[in-house]
Amino acid sequence: MRTHGLAVIGGDGVGPEVTKQSLLALGAASDRFGFTTEITEFDLGGERYLRTGDVLPDDDLVALADYDAILLGAVGTPEVAPGVLERGLLLRIRFEFDQYINLRPVKLHPGVPTPIAGLTPERCDMMIVRENTEGMYVGAGGILRRGTPQEVAVQESVNTRVGAERALRFSFELARKRDRRLTLCHKTNVLNYAGDLWQRATDEVAAEYVDVTVDYIHVDAACLYLVDSPERFDVMVTDNLFGDIVTDLGAAIQGGLGLAASGNLDPERRRPSMFEPVHGSAPDIAGNGWANPVASVLSLGMCLDHLGETEAARAITDAAVSVLPELTTMGGPDMGMSTDQIGDLIASRVVG
């Protein structure tokens, strides 16, 4: 029997609540498709930090490296300053495990309301590939004369040919599996150093993928077209900062953060990849059963697909999507079902 090691970080707020539903679906899929999962839960997040002062101890990082994948709920509490958990936990895992691809599907499902008037599901089905370990998020820069009228803050974007090219190659391979259309999203007219590197790398890699149609769009124009004509995009590849922004816009288009799944991938599988819903910990609604677990379950589907359990991944994804038309809202107190009820319904449909 196939066995996969899964590290689970429930985290804070609604994170443990939505992760619980994903694990329920995982159990149903394991029984149906004949594989086992060895699950270890890690106590990491804001509450751990407030108790102990630890964000991600080295021992936990070493332990995480032994797993096949990581399933994350959400982290963050109001008592922890911004940046502590993001850099000390999430970004550290991404960088240490070289999860250089952030993959986010943007897909409008039937029966799901969207803020875009006239948008129908067949017009919105894309994958956004975000370079995940470089750009503005490397932490390069500094502050001079802090707290004075002469204060200067410098934040540098670091882009390498290796980093851009491997993200591009992943994107071209993905495009080949889909509609064979790829769009580079950047700001080459202003960011003439980083943008030039990305454009030249795209042109050179594209020569090896003559069967893929390649387009370019400025990131500001991409935001317009995501709203106006999302069918323009199939696979979009972009840098770390732009990817962080446009994927949240994509989440809004597809119905909200409660539906937005993601994977932080090491495509070479040297170290574990990490899968998480895009939404935050929402401490204001934690414990009320108002959190939509669908994004977490869809992230689990991406995880199983990465682990080679393609049939189970498809069953979990289909089951999660099937409940959406039955919800009155995509999250909050008026969903029509509680978090647990949605999780139970998804698990029952995974079984078939």
Side-chain angles (χ1 to χ4, degrees):
M1 181 175 286
R2 302 177 304 279
T3 302
H4 308 290
L6 182 65
V8 175
I9 304 172
D12 306 308
V14 302
E17 298 175 41
V18 297
T19 302
K20 173 186 172 184
Q21 313 313 321
S22 293
L23 296 180
L24 191 64
L26 175 61
S30 299
D31 292 341
R32 177 179 174 185
F33 294 100
F35 64 93
T36 60
T37 309
E38 296 178 353
I39 296 171
T40 302
E41 297 198 22
F42 283 77
D43 176 21
L44 296 169
E47 293 185 7
R48 164 83 179 268
Y49 175 72
L50 292 171
R51 284 198 323 270
T52 68
D54 294 326
V55 179
L56 178 57
D58 290 342
D59 288 348
D60 283 338
L61 185 68
V62 170
L64 286 169
D66 287 336
Y67 289 83
D68 297 310
I70 303 167
L71 183 66
L72 174 69
V75 295
T77 61
E79 298 83 5
V80 179
V84 173
L85 298 174
E86 292 84 353
R87 288 205 168 275
L89 178 58
L90 302 181
L91 292 187
R92 189 181 182 199
I93 289 175
R94 293 178 190 176
F95 291 170
E96 293 282 353
F97 292 163
D98 202 21
Q99 297 168 347
Y100 64 86
I101 295 294
N102 180 272
L103 185 63
R104 295 198 190 180
V106 177
K107 183 178 177 64
L108 180 60
H109 299 289
V112 176
T114 172
I116 309 303
L119 184 62
T120 54
E122 64 272 10
R123 293 181 56 207
C124 182
D125 183 358
M126 72 188 78
M127 300 292 281
I128 300 180
V129 179
R130 165 188 171 191
E131 197 291 317
N132 209 32
T133 58
E134 295 188 351
M136 293 291 291
Y137 289 15
V138 299
I143 294 180
L144 300 175
R145 298 185 290 273
R146 183 184 183 96
T148 73
Q150 293 78 34
E151 183 169 352
V152 178
V154 177
Q155 196 83 43
E156 297 175 330
S157 177
V158 176
N159 300 265
T160 69
R161 173 59 188 250
V162 169
E165 183 171 330
R166 63 184 184 175
L168 285 162
R169 291 190 179 278
F170 178 91
S171 302
F172 273 100
E173 290 293 335
L174 180 61
R176 272 185 168 170
K177 298 173 184 176
R178 290 174 53 90
D179 199 35
R180 298 179 181 267
R181 292 185 292 124
L182 181 141
T183 301
L184 170 64
C185 174
H186 212 281
K187 191 66 177 172
T188 56
N189 59 339
V190 176
L191 304 179
N192 53 313
Y193 299 126
D196 177 63
L197 184 154
W198 274 88
Q199 185 65 71
R200 285 186 289 107
T202 300
D203 294 342
E204 293 173 26
V205 174
E208 303 174 31
Y209 293 86
V210 295
D211 54 328
V212 176
T213 300
V214 181
D215 190 16
Y216 170 81
I217 192 165
H218 293 324
V219 64
D220 46 342
C223 292
L224 185 152
Y225 286 121
L226 278 168
V227 173
D228 180 71
S229 49
E231 64 272 14
R232 175 177 177 141
F233 306 113
D234 186 61
V235 173
M236 178 190 292
V237 58
T238 188
D239 83 342
N240 209 338
L241 176 61
F242 294 150
D244 197 5
I245 296 168
V246 299
T247 51
D248 274 12
L249 176 56
I253 292 168
Q254 72 181 102
L257 289 175
L259 307 182
S262 75
N264 301 282
L265 309 179
D266 169 18
E268 282 76 40
R269 303 169 190 272
R270 299 158 299 174
R271 281 151 287 196
S273 295
M274 181 167 64
F275 301 85
E276 57 179 313
V278 175
H279 63 68
S281 59
D284 55 324
I285 66 168
N288 291 319
W290 296 348
N292 188 340
V294 167
S296 180
V297 178
L298 292 175
S299 298
L300 172 65
M302 294 178 69
C303 176
L304 290 177
D305 187 63
H306 179 75
L307 295 175
E309 300 292 348
T310 54
E311 289 185 299
R314 189 178 304 112
I316 281 178
T317 300
D318 290 346
V321 169
S322 76
V323 307
L324 295 175
E326 300 171 47
L327 304 181
T328 51
T329 68
M330 292 298 108
D334 301 320
M335 284 193 298
M337 284 184 271
S338 69
T339 305
D340 285 345
Q341 288 173 327
I342 297 170
D344 289 341
L345 185 57
I346 292 172
S348 70
R349 293 180 180 177
V350 170
V351 173

